[in-house]
Amino acid sequence: MQTNFAPELLENPDMRESETILRTCVHCGFCTATCPTYLLLGDELDSPRGRIYLMKDMLENGKPASGQVVTHIDRCLSCLSCMTTCPSGVHYMHLVDHARAHIEETYQRPWHDRLMRSLLSAILPYPGRFRLALFGAYLGKPFKGVAKALPKVGPRMGAMLDLAPGRLPTRSAQEGPGVFAAQGEERGRVAILQGCAQTVLDPGINEATIRLLNRHGITVTQVAGEGCCGALVHHMGRTEESHDFARRNIDVWIREIEENGLDAIIITASGCGTTIKDYGHMFREDAEYAEKAARVSALAKDITEYLETLTLEPTGEADKLTVAYHSACSMQHGQQIREAPKKLLKKAGFKVKDVPESHICCGSAGTYNIMQPEIAEQLRARKVGNIERTRPDIIATGNIGCMTQIGKGTEIPIVHTAELLDWATGGPRPQALE
């Protein structure tokens, strides 16, 4: 794709990168076949190729974002299926991130849109606030019909109440800073991301991960001062906020690396993993943080990546149960991890089935299922239908957003991959299976 960026625009490193990405695109259209919104809506502007045309026109001409551009960029899930499909290697993730930041800087959203985005960015990255908000949602569930009828904000308020758990999650006894020692001879030492939303919605995921690692000789630390990875606000175009979250995590992990040593930084939410592995790129032009960010990104590992380096010891407890493995978009497209989770589950004794149309997003996508509830509901129904056709006993996945989204559409229990592996190697039966 030919571009005509003015020289003064190319002084901005993000603009230079966007220009390079745009030149990589050859208009082939392979991406349209795997784009969820194009499959549902059939509009070229709701495909990666169409959005690239819109972004090119906006960025190379230095234009403020228009309502049309915002509509179609907002409908993008950032599932990154297009990147897996693209034969030319177009790095759509960085391009759309830059476009979202440009929208945030140049476009005045309607009041109801600003309200919802401000609300989500002020609550979700902070576990204390999020826990309080879930209590409010629990009390508000009986009034869901009234909330949905509110002008402008109704559908999104209704979606938030739909997604809120039917019972309030308990606080983990392991929450907060701490060191969990390896059982027997220590074979390694890792940090684990506590994060934000997951630690509130399902603290059992990290509890299972710590038990699993400890049993196999790995000491696990939860480092003081660590928090949200920044992904939630990053995908809203709030670059400074996301970078502030990232800097805090980089600082505390680098301190831990230098004082005590770490073999890896373990991440159990694949959406967070994709962002943390991109810290090195995010801070590539930052003289103070470039090297530190690159070190952190190099150590970041999804739990299944790290478990592949260990020899797990199944007990036979889980033999012959059928698991439908749902590969989160951030796992298979963002991090290019496709086989490790399935291999681990098979070795643990489970019968693993692939889900038809496994490359198509479930509709979670961070806050997408709140901000674009109609499209998200269609994608959930499509995903659940494909999963149920495999007739599994259990659904496994590696991302809390997918667990919440899919779990609202089916009676089949959905469990984190690490919880199943913990159970299969001597840990307790996952609570969702009780």
Side-chain angles (χ1 to χ4, degrees), residues 218-391:
I218 308 300
T219 293
V220 182
T221 179
Q222 292 179 161
V223 184
E226 168 256 286
C228 176
C229 68
L232 289 167
V233 289
H234 183 68
H235 294 309
M236 292 184 190
R238 297 176 178 241
T239 304
E240 284 307 312
E241 288 180 51
S242 68
H243 284 200
D244 285 344
F245 282 122
R247 286 188 193 96
R248 181 179 67 180
N249 287 341
I250 291 166
D251 286 338
V252 300
W253 283 328
I254 288 293
R255 184 175 65 242
E256 185 69 18
I257 291 165
E258 293 178 346
E259 291 179 359
N260 299 302
L262 291 175
D263 301 313
I265 298 166
I266 301 298
I267 301 148
T268 54
S270 61
C272 301
T274 301
T275 296
I276 293 170
K277 287 181 178 183
D278 205 44
Y279 279 0
H281 177 270
M282 289 165 61
F283 291 97
R284 67 198 184 281
E285 300 284 340
D286 189 312
E288 182 181 358
Y289 277 88
E291 182 182 355
K292 294 189 290 184
R295 288 179 70 188
V296 166
S297 290
L299 282 176
K301 302 290 180 187
D302 182 76
I303 179 57
T304 57
E305 280 184 289
Y306 189 74
L307 290 175
E308 274 203 306
T309 68
L310 307 178
T311 301
L312 302 189
E313 301 169 1
T315 62
E317 182 75 18
D319 282 357
K320 299 180 181 178
L321 283 173
T322 299
V323 174
Y325 176 68
H326 164 70
S327 186
C329 296
S330 47
M331 185 81 86
Q332 62 172 312
H333 305 308
Q335 299 183 56
Q336 300 289 305
I337 300 171
R338 298 190 181 90
E339 297 304 318
K342 293 187 288 186
K343 287 179 180 177
L344 289 165
L345 288 168
K346 288 175 183 176
K347 287 180 181 178
F350 296 100
K351 181 181 179 182
V352 180
K353 289 192 174 182
D354 289 320
V355 176
E357 291 189 329
S358 60
H359 61 286
I360 299 296
C361 185
C362 69
S364 172
T367 60
Y368 190 92
N369 49 5
I370 295 172
M371 299 304 293
Q372 302 283 341
E374 292 182 5
I375 296 173
E377 285 174 13
Q378 292 178 63
L379 289 171
R380 174 170 55 203
R382 186 170 182 147
K383 179 64 69 177
V384 167
N386 280 321
I387 289 171
E388 291 182 342
R389 275 195 281 278
T390 69
R391 303 178 67 83

Side-chain angles (χ1 to χ4, degrees), residues 130 133-135 137-139 141 160-169 200-202 404 408:
F130 186 38
L134 286 183
F135 179 68
Y138 175 76
L139 296 177
K141 272 186 175 287
M160 283 197 290
L161 292 174
D162 279 334
L163 290 165
R167 61 180 179 82
L168 294 175
V200 176
L201 286 170
D202 196 342
T404 303
K408 291 296 178 182

Side-chain angles (χ1 to χ4, degrees), residues 171-184:
R171 189 189 293 261
S172 173
Q174 296 178 339
E175 187 174 326
V179 177
F180 306 91
Q183 296 175 17

Side-chain angles (χ1 to χ4, degrees), residues 83-193:
M83 285 180 58
T84 297
T85 309
C86 181
S88 302
V90 176
H91 206 303
Y92 181 86
M93 181 177 82
H94 291 157
L95 181 63
V96 78
D97 284 346
H98 183 204
R100 287 184 171 130
H102 187 78
I103 289 168
E104 188 70 12
E105 292 171 3
T106 64
Y107 184 74
Q108 177 78 357
R109 291 180 179 274
W111 69 267
H112 52 89
D113 208 359
R114 297 198 305 274
L115 174 65
M116 291 302 301
R117 287 169 176 271
S118 296
L119 190 66
L120 292 171
S121 63
I123 291 175
L124 292 181
Y126 304 94
R129 299 178 194 176
F130 186 38
R131 191 171 280 114
L132 185 61
L134 286 183
F135 179 68
Y138 175 76
L139 296 177
K141 272 186 175 287
F143 307 101
K144 183 172 64 178
V146 176
K148 285 186 174 181
L150 292 172
K152 303 292 185 182
V153 298
R156 291 169 174 175
M157 293 295 291
M160 283 197 290
L161 292 174
D162 279 334
L163 290 165
R167 61 180 179 82
L168 294 175
T170 57
R171 189 189 293 261
S172 173
Q174 296 178 339
E175 187 174 326
V179 177
F180 306 91
Q183 296 175 17
E185 180 185 355
E186 183 179 271
R187 301 175 186 173
R189 188 175 191 280
V190 302
I192 188 169
L193 173 74

